[in-house]
Amino acid sequence: MQLKRVVITGLGAITPLGNSVEEYWKNLVNGVSGAAPITRFNAEKFKTRFACEVKGFNPEDYFEKKEARKVDAFTQYGVAASTQAMKDSGLEAEGIDRNEIGVIWGSGIGGLDTFQTETFGFAKGDGTPRFNPFFIPKMIADICSGHISMRFGLRGPNFTTVSACASSTNALIDSFNYIRWGKAIAVVTGGSEAAINESGIGGFNACMAMSTRNESPQTASRPYDKERDGFVLGEGGVALILEDLDHALARGAKIYAEVIGGGMSADAHHITAPHPEGLGAKLVMERALKDAGLKPTDIDYINTHGTSTPLGDVAELKAIQKLFGDHAYKMNISSTKSMTGHLLGAAGAIEAMATVLAVQNDIIPPTINFANPDPDVDPKLNLTFNKAQKRVVNAAISNTFGFGGHNAAVVIKKYSK
């Protein structure tokens, strides 16, 4: 089979750093933190009282008021981002075969806020079951892809991947494969998550996974810093339009970059902790490079999973050093979670978008909040601390790793004919 080339022709973003691609990228390059005290509920009694919330989002910009009440926030974010991306791509135009355009989405949790609202309401009642008829359709993790397909009449492959924090990278890889195998001409892909509520904050606190730097939220996400104490929870939705190159060229589409490979692996080690030597992380990058037909020396930048957790940051860097050898010191590496926080199932999408824009613009977004060197982190690695750096980025990798040991990596390349 002659595999088709796959390019990115549209982007959309609802993020803690802004509700458009332009605003997100500007703040990312400028090293702006999206973290602040939680506004959604009274977090006074929680160990963590801050998060990277989406700010200034009005669902009625994308939904009728009545319709907005029928969908969870994670779906609102996903549909909004997809609406931006479809407009950006030009695929809304008449004459394009919507039977051949799919939606492959990623979410690790889905409608957690809906689940919490309905169960809290029942618990506070007299035991009489009074549930919203939209409870289940609002909550299920696959529903966002359904809403996106209905919004645009897209009848191609349609499903949602669930692999914790690797979910939307898995969705992107599946989209890439469906197009290069000739099973779709384009796919709306990405991910969304909205878990900033009592259940989300309380649950991750119970896991001892999140930072408790309540006195300084904006500096709490500090990957690779000796004083890091956990991730900062984020939320939002990001969409990417992947398209068959021939189809994109035939309609004169704008092309951001090309997707050339993807890899998947499992740590097979622990439900929440990474393998201490980064075995699964090394394996997933090896597979992504092999799929892309590249050598380690071809990579200019890695957008790491880099959650700001004591174990995870070091394990991933060990994997990079083992795989890339001396070339590890010639690449740029950065964690954009230092600014966006951790979007869970949408992390792969928001970081793939950062990687696409780094390739397109030849700018490496920084790892902010670094102040104290960690003796377990090699100081010779260029972790792009605190300030963006300019360099030619011909090829880059975006890594995502999830609870359960799920690993996924995608390779993005500068487009050339």
Side-chain angles (χ1 to χ4, degrees):
M1 178 188 295
Q2 180 67 41
L3 296 177
K4 297 178 179 293
R5 292 174 66 183
V6 180
V7 292
I8 298 157
T9 58
L11 298 173
I14 303 294
T15 80
L17 295 183
N19 298 330
S20 70
V21 174
E22 294 74 18
E23 190 179 3
Y24 162 77
W25 180 241
K26 178 183 177 182
N27 285 326
L28 204 67
V29 170
N30 288 330
V32 175
S33 171
I38 290 169
T39 64
R40 302 288 165 73
F41 65 94
N42 183 357
E44 182 181 345
K45 295 183 179 181
F46 287 76
K47 293 177 183 177
T48 297
R49 299 188 288 277
F50 59 92
C52 287
E53 295 176 326
V54 166
K55 305 159 190 73
F57 174 73
N58 182 3
E60 291 178 36
D61 290 340
Y62 299 92
F63 296 87
E64 294 293 332
K65 188 173 183 178
K66 183 179 179 181
E67 291 303 308
R69 293 198 296 266
K70 297 178 182 178
V71 293
D72 188 89
F74 97 99
T75 296
Q76 294 176 1
Y77 296 155
V79 170
S82 298
T83 299
Q84 293 178 18
M86 283 291 286
K87 182 178 180 180
D88 185 40
S89 72
L91 283 177
E92 292 178 310
E94 293 183 9
I96 294 176
D97 188 355
R98 283 171 165 70
N99 291 338
E100 299 301 319
I101 301 176
V103 183
I104 302 178
W105 205 248
S107 186
I109 298 176
L112 183 63
D113 206 49
T114 293
F115 187 85
Q116 176 183 284
T117 298
E118 295 298 316
T119 52
F120 279 18
F122 176 72
K124 290 176 182 176
D126 61 3
T128 303
R130 298 184 181 92
F131 288 92
N132 188 312
F134 292 99
F135 174 22
I136 300 303
K138 286 174 70 174
M139 178 198 72
I140 51 179
D142 69 292
I143 201 66
C144 186
S145 66
H147 276 287
I148 294 167
S149 69
M150 288 182 278
R151 171 67 61 101
F152 300 105
L154 309 179
R155 298 178 183 86
N158 187 286
F159 60 91
T160 292
T161 60
V162 179
S163 49
C165 306
S167 296
S168 50
T169 302
N170 280 131
L172 199 156
I173 293 169
D174 282 350
S175 303
F176 166 61
N177 284 331
Y178 271 76
I179 295 169
R180 67 173 173 169
W181 293 338
K183 296 182 180 295
I185 58 172
V187 177
V188 182
T189 189
S192 55
E193 208 78 90
I196 300 175
N197 57 23
E198 293 90 336
S199 301
I201 296 294
F204 282 115
N205 271 160
C207 289
M208 306 291 286
M210 288 197 305
S211 171
T212 56
R213 190 182 285 263
N214 294 300
E215 71 284 357
S216 182
Q218 291 185 324
T219 66
S221 186
R222 47 200 309 117
Y224 315 117
D225 187 280
K226 183 181 179 181
E227 303 301 323
R228 66 191 182 277
D229 68 332
F231 72 80
V232 178
L233 188 59
E235 63 174 356
V238 168
L240 303 91
I241 306 297
L242 270 56
E243 188 171 352
D244 171 11
L245 173 61
D246 292 337
H247 187 265
L249 291 175
R251 66 183 188 88
K254 169 182 59 184
I255 295 174
Y256 285 95
E258 185 172 358
V259 182
I260 60 169
M264 293 174 276
S265 75
D267 274 6
H269 172 69
H270 189 271
I271 58 171
T272 58
H275 191 284
E277 297 302 314
L279 295 187
K282 177 175 178 286
L283 186 60
V284 78
M285 288 185 284
E286 283 178 335
R287 288 174 175 168
L289 286 173
K290 182 178 179 181
D291 192 41
L294 297 183
K295 305 183 296 296
T297 51
D298 293 322
I299 299 299
D300 301 303
Y301 169 51
I302 298 179
N303 186 301
T304 60
H305 188 57
T307 55
S308 186
T309 53
L311 297 178
D313 290 3
V314 172
E316 185 174 9
L317 292 182
K318 284 182 179 179
I320 289 170
Q321 290 180 279
K322 288 176 182 176
L323 176 59
F324 289 88
D326 291 340
H327 186 66
Y329 303 106
K330 300 174 184 178
M331 300 185 297
N332 274 77
I333 300 167
S334 74
S335 169
T336 49
K337 285 187 181 74
S338 60
M339 295 169 279
T340 66
H342 193 347
L343 270 65
L344 307 179
I350 195 171
E351 288 152 25
M353 184 170 68
T355 306
V356 167
L357 294 170
V359 168
Q360 185 196 34
N361 296 291
D362 292 323
I363 299 175
I364 308 296
T367 305
I368 68 167
N369 295 326
F370 177 78
N372 306 294
D374 183 339
D376 292 328
V377 173
D378 190 335
K380 293 183 291 183
L381 292 170
N382 184 357
L383 296 168
T384 322
F385 285 133
N386 298 325
K387 188 176 180 180
Q389 295 177 16
K390 293 184 178 181
R391 70 170 290 167
V392 175
V393 186
N394 289 312
I397 294 176
S398 180
N399 284 339
T400 43
F401 313 137
F403 279 6
H406 310 294
N407 306 311
V410 63
V411 184
I412 307 294
K413 178 180 174 290
K414 201 180 288 295
Y415 168 68
S416 61
K417 293 182 179 179

